[in-house]
Amino acid sequence: MNTDLFEAFNNGSLKLPAKTIHFADIIWSKHPTFEGVELKHIVTANDTDGQFSYHLVRIAPGKSIKTHIHETQLETHEVIAGSGICVNEGISIPYETGTLSIMPAGLPHEVHAGNDGLYLFAKFIPALC
């Protein structure tokens, strides 16, 4: 597994005309519902007037984001490192580095990390939080 690539994201930055946000300065938050899932809220609704949000996600080996629905948000995943499975509209999609997946608003989906964990860049339109 290429955790070096994930660490590059984890220590990366968002560069805007007026400021730079260093990801290392943002703390990891435990997911409020799913054990073994942590989030780093890179860009939030407050930053974009609710238009979109970006999050780094790490799922511990063998842990899952169980079936859920975002009623109003389109969600995308870019797999940075690790492996797993995303069940999207009832279809199992293998997750490996370089995979991009799209979950339309209102449709159930879930994500399961493999034995080496799973590291994602998740985006929501409009913003999740």
Side-chain angles (χ1 to χ4, degrees):
M1 172 179 66
N2 188 353
T3 55
D4 292 341
L5 182 57
F6 177 73
E7 286 307 317
F9 269 88
N10 192 31
N11 293 305
S13 59
L14 172 64
K15 298 181 188 251
L16 303 169
K19 66 180 176 178
T20 296
I21 300 169
H22 298 280
F23 300 165
D25 295 338
I26 301 170
I27 61 167
W28 284 101
S29 303
K30 292 185 185 286
H31 193 285
T33 307
F34 304 113
E35 178 187 346
V37 178
E38 295 179 297
L39 308 163
K40 196 174 263 206
H41 304 297
I42 304 298
V43 177
T44 67
N46 289 336
D47 301 316
T48 67
D49 293 324
Q51 293 180 32
F52 60 91
S53 60
Y54 291 175
H55 315 267
L56 283 177
V57 181
R58 65 180 174 196
I59 306 172
K63 297 296 182 180
S64 299
I65 298 174
K66 297 191 170 52
T67 303
H68 64 286
I69 296 172
H70 301 287
E71 291 295 339
T72 59
Q73 289 96 0
L74 174 134
E75 180 178 1
T76 67
H77 293 161
E78 297 170 42
V79 179
I80 300 169
S83 65
I85 299 287
C86 176
V87 180
N88 183 349
E89 296 189 59
I91 305 296
S92 292
I93 299 168
Y95 267 17
E96 56 192 22
T97 301
T99 299
L100 174 64
S101 185
I102 301 169
M103 283 67 61
L107 295 175
H109 56 281
E110 58 191 80
V111 180
H112 307 280
N115 293 335
D116 49 357
L118 188 58
Y119 304 87
L120 307 171
F121 192 37
K123 299 173 186 174
F124 293 86
I125 303 166
L128 182 62
C129 63

